[in-house]
Amino acid sequence: MTYLLALDQGTSSSRSIVFDECGRIVAQAQLELPQIYPRPGWVEHDPREIWRTQLATAQDALRQAGITAQDVRALGITNQRETTVLWNRRTGQPVHHAIVWQDRRAEPACALLRDQGHAATIQAKTGLLIDAYFSATKLQWLLDNVPGARDAAEAGELAFGTVDSWLIWQLTGGRRHATDVTNASRTMLFNVHTQQWDDELLQLLRIPRALMPEVLPSASDFGATDAALLGGAIAIGGVAGDQQSALFGQACFTAGMAKNTYGTGCFMLMHTGSRFQKSENGLLTTSAAQIAPTLAASHAALPSEGAPSGLGRTGAGWNGTQPQYALEGSVFVGGAVVQWLRDGLRAIDSSSEVQALAQSVPDSGGVMMVPAFTGLGAPYWKPDARGTITGLTRGTTIAHIARAALESIAYQSAALLTAMSRDAVAAGGAPVSELRVDGGACVNDLLMQFQADLLGIPVVRPAVVETTALGAAYLAGLASGVYASTDELAALWRAERRFTPTLPRSQAEALMARWEHAVAQAALPA
């Protein structure tokens, strides 16, 4: 039996999953990742804890599966994107906590870039809107605020990376400083047309090029793990940011296919093929996972499984790789609203109780919740918006608020899909006809049915909902010769349940109109 190991480093936890070659889960392990909130709007992680928890779960998953490193053909990494790590090349130690994607401290720097008129140039080069969400201004903040960081960076003593780069560095004992195109495309420093770090943007943000990792295709040779870590060297063959990895794991390989991941945030992506499409509806253009065209031809020449030498370089193939793109909308607070019900409001003792509480009432009783705890993402992009609960009456109960909180996840996702379909139609395509879903909250049947009702299209839950980790495993499998093509992967995808709309469209449209009114109230000046 051939096995693939996926490392899934998320915002709230680190997980490792062993898959067999049919994409079935053999074993998995998970550890919670502590959250650090130094000030309102600031969110940090300890990079050493990211590494400790990720390594521990990888070791545990192999142990649970009853296999050794020699049984694993290749390893794939998927990760929370944009989260920014800066470390010393000599010691391998971080110079500061990682600044998490949710963190808003760099908003003043973003406002300055907008005021200086750089928005159009940045969007044209990167596909992104100027926002503190992305890595560039987080890195700029670290260089400007950590004593000695800028001088050390200019002297070539420091390395920057998103979480994938940090893990690759640690896994390879500092031998590789690399990232993949999907993670690079989320920094606001990467030109998605040339597939290179953009010197003009680096200069604009005063970021030394020496800090930047090598950028490779998502299925490529990222080195091999230090043999002492997992009981033997394992080739690192796949890397993708969590959302592009989920798109890949959902077998959305062609233009017009879309998925939504319900995690801490909600992330909807629609594949647009090789066409760079600028959104006119508040969405982002981002790089989709890419495979070097030489990989399939070179599979026969690959080293034996688990070989310490890695997978063979793909430089020529990378230079000739045709870029792949996707439209993306990101909701900052998705499943995190359930955590707030538990930890902030203390309405429930565990997250698993929310469905029963929400179903104890027939509807939200007119209550609307906009969970803009850290502003609103796409398609609104209102960084100063704050959370609101409206429509309260004397008859409102905690169950109504819980239902409104759960429904807010679906409302935000419906707004994204509406924007996405407008862009698709404007580009000469068809509206999205079905939505594939994954992530922790997609197991909530109440939420998925309400999502289908709002959208008016089927919502499809796959047999394997861990598609983020599965995407990383698939990429590693392609790089190592386990799979010959994406057609083979598409044949492995299976649906577990289809949620079809039951609500009349007029009623769904009236609900969305009420949601948009609530959003307008959340965005009012304080």
Side-chain angles (χ1 to χ4, degrees):
M1 179 66 72
T2 298
Y3 298 99
L4 296 162
L5 175 62
L7 308 188
D8 182 358
Q9 205 299 302
T11 308
S12 56
S13 70
S14 297
R15 297 190 308 159
S16 294
I17 302 180
V18 176
F19 291 96
D20 67 17
E21 61 190 40
C22 295
R24 294 178 298 230
I25 294 174
V26 176
Q28 58 183 311
Q30 182 172 2
L31 286 172
E32 193 165 329
L33 184 67
Q35 309 294 302
I36 303 166
Y37 304 104
R39 299 185 193 176
W42 291 28
V43 189
E44 296 178 354
H45 289 157
D46 184 342
R48 293 165 297 190
E49 279 295 291
I50 290 175
W51 168 234
R52 183 192 68 79
T53 54
Q54 192 63 72
L55 178 61
T57 60
Q59 294 167 337
D60 192 19
L62 292 178
R63 187 164 48 248
Q64 287 187 44
I67 62 174
T68 68
Q70 286 68 38
D71 299 313
V72 179
R73 180 71 72 89
L75 177 155
I77 298 171
T78 184
N79 56 284
Q80 53 168 316
R81 305 170 303 168
E82 298 96 22
T83 294
T84 300
V85 188
L86 187 64
W87 68 93
N88 185 288
R89 290 181 180 273
R90 181 179 58 82
T91 67
Q93 292 298 306
V95 302
H96 191 274
H97 284 155
I99 301 181
V100 178
W101 58 273
Q102 298 159 312
D103 189 282
R104 305 303 300 170
R105 77 186 68 184
E107 176 52 34
C110 292
L112 181 61
L113 289 171
R114 294 185 206 103
D115 291 344
Q116 291 172 340
H118 296 299
T121 297
I122 288 174
Q123 185 175 15
K125 287 174 177 282
T126 69
L128 307 177
L129 305 177
I130 295 174
D131 196 84
Y133 177 31
F134 305 111
S135 309
T137 52
K138 299 180 195 298
L139 177 56
Q140 184 185 50
W141 187 95
L142 288 170
L143 294 175
D144 289 341
N145 289 275
V146 175
R150 184 166 292 282
D151 289 342
E154 290 174 352
E157 297 170 3
L158 302 184
F160 153 74
T162 42
V163 168
D164 59 305
S165 295
W166 170 245
L167 291 176
I168 291 168
W169 180 279
Q170 297 296 332
L171 286 165
T172 63
R175 291 187 298 275
R176 293 297 296 273
H177 182 210
T179 188
D180 92 298
V181 62
T182 67
N183 279 294
S185 74
R186 308 298 296 183
T187 61
M188 214 169 77
L189 297 168
F190 186 72
N191 189 311
V192 296
H193 306 281
T194 65
Q195 306 280 281
Q196 302 287 333
W197 298 118
D198 192 282
D199 287 325
E200 182 183 353
L201 296 181
L202 291 170
Q203 186 175 5
L204 175 64
L205 284 119
R206 298 186 305 121
I207 293 173
R209 192 180 180 95
L211 282 172
M212 310 307 287
E214 176 187 10
V215 183
L216 296 172
S218 310
S220 188
D221 172 18
F222 293 89
T225 65
D226 191 304
L229 296 174
L230 298 171
I234 301 176
I236 306 170
V239 175
D242 52 10
Q243 302 316 316
Q244 288 97 329
S245 188
L247 188 71
F248 203 83
Q250 286 277 33
C252 295
F253 302 134
T254 57
M257 299 186 73
K259 71 90 198 172
N260 196 26
T261 296
Y262 298 81
T264 306
C266 287
F267 301 89
M268 189 179 293
L269 271 73
M270 180 181 73
H271 208 295
T272 61
S274 58
R275 182 182 73 252
F276 177 91
Q277 182 179 336
K278 179 183 172 184
S279 173
E280 300 300 331
N281 293 281
L283 303 179
L284 307 173
T285 306
T286 195
S287 292
Q290 296 180 19
I291 305 157
T294 56
L295 274 179
S298 66
H299 280 157
L302 287 174
S304 61
E305 53 196 79
S309 58
L311 300 165
R313 303 296 294 179
T314 57
W318 173 225
N319 292 335
T321 299
Q322 186 175 42
Q324 297 289 300
Y325 301 108
L327 282 176
E328 174 173 340
S330 307
V331 170
F332 295 153
V333 177
V337 74
V338 178
Q339 295 173 329
W340 175 79
L341 286 173
R342 181 193 66 193
D343 303 334
L345 206 57
R346 300 194 181 279
I348 51 178
D349 292 323
S350 68
S351 298
S352 60
E353 297 172 14
V354 70
Q355 180 165 333
L357 180 60
Q359 282 186 316
S360 68
V361 289
D363 53 47
S364 68
V367 176
M368 278 280 180
M369 179 176 178
V370 180
F373 301 148
T374 55
L376 285 171
Y380 305 107
W381 294 107
K382 296 183 183 296
D384 297 326
R386 287 297 174 261
T388 61
I389 301 175
T390 57
L392 297 174
T393 67
R394 184 65 182 84
T396 299
T397 68
I398 197 68
H400 292 108
I401 293 173
R403 183 149 185 148
L406 203 59
E407 290 179 350
S408 74
I409 303 172
Y411 280 120
Q412 292 177 97
S413 297
L416 287 182
L417 191 96
T418 299
M420 207 165 271
S421 290
R422 285 197 198 105
D423 281 327
V425 171
V432 176
S433 59
E434 76 169 25
L435 183 66
R436 296 184 174 184
V437 297
D438 53 63
C442 87
V443 300
N444 189 308
D445 292 347
L446 175 67
L447 174 60
M448 292 301 98
Q449 184 58 56
F450 189 64
Q451 188 71 85
D453 287 342
L454 287 180
L455 296 176
I457 60 174
V459 167
V460 187
R461 187 166 62 201
V464 177
V465 297
E466 303 295 352
T467 52
T468 303
L470 184 60
Y474 280 167
L475 287 164
L478 281 168
S480 58
V482 175
Y483 310 113
S485 68
T486 54
D487 289 341
E488 187 176 343
L489 297 178
L492 293 176
W493 190 89
R494 294 286 185 275
E496 180 263 329
R497 182 169 173 183
R498 293 176 67 88
F499 297 87
T500 56
T502 58
L503 201 66
R505 289 310 300 153
S506 59
Q507 195 172 340
E509 288 164 3
L511 287 172
M512 285 304 299
R514 289 187 59 240
W515 164 258
E516 295 295 344
H517 179 69
V519 166
Q521 290 175 296
L524 289 173

